[in-house]
Amino acid sequence: MTQPIISIIIPVFNEAAIIQTAIERLKDNQDVEVIIVDGGSQDRSVELVLAMGVSFAERGRWGDGENKLKLMIASEPGRAYQMNAGAAIAKGDILLFLHADTQLPANYQSLILETLSSSQVIAGAFELAIDSQTKSFRLIETMVNLRSRLLSLPYGDQAIFLKKSTFDKLGGYPNLAIMEDFELIERLKSHGKIVIASAAVLTSPRRWQKLGVWQTTAINQLIILGYYLGISPTKLRNFYRQIGRNKKF
């Protein structure tokens, strides 16, 4: 029996500091296709990706159709658009959406196949671990993993995965300025179970470190509340960016 192919889609924007490490971790994995979708980086991200022997997509045509490492330049900015663009050209049976600063567990392939083998399961994700010894992060991890399991509500940094046929049937990620992963999971929940695999991804603490652990947590909850109250995703994104600009370093 042929092993299902997993297409790993990595949306990228100004990730020159880490993108080669992210690709290096995945490039030798069997039965895996890696698609990097750049959203208009202004640093050396694209140059560094191409330096690793990645095929470049220009106007939808691949230089080497058999290369398992592929780079796509999105025609529009925005994470949702980038992930949908990557999914559109993916050849895999299963899609895995991965942040560039997140590392998958060693046995991620078998866990994904096991999770999706049940007819009742429509999608999955991993538990979250944060790459820092700071004690406050242990509480964040506990909160995230409880939310994920009790509410079936993982977020994008937990590496959401599902069958490509399911993704296509639902129309992919909604093209929102923010909260696109939240909205996709809510739609998926009405069609089947969301399962959290019994292993954790390891993600960078950088987004919490930028504004502070508890400030970031509070802001995230405010954005979720605002989304529930009907505030437009564009306004919520601008609110988040404004806070980041006003932060003194």
Side-chain angles (χ1 to χ4, degrees), residues 15-27 44-45 47-52:
E15 295 288 13
I18 62 173
I19 189 57
Q20 287 190 318
T21 299
I23 296 171
E24 189 67 34
R25 294 187 185 120
L26 301 168
K27 69 182 182 67
R44 297 180 62 225
S45 293
E47 175 188 345
L48 293 172
V49 170
L50 292 174
M52 299 187 73

Side-chain angles (χ1 to χ4, degrees), residues 54-74:
V54 176
S55 292
F56 181 58
E58 185 175 6
R59 296 185 177 89
R61 302 178 64 180
W62 299 113
D64 176 5
E66 300 304 316
N67 195 336
K68 62 187 285 186
L69 301 176
K70 301 171 183 176
L71 169 68
M72 184 178 197
I73 307 298

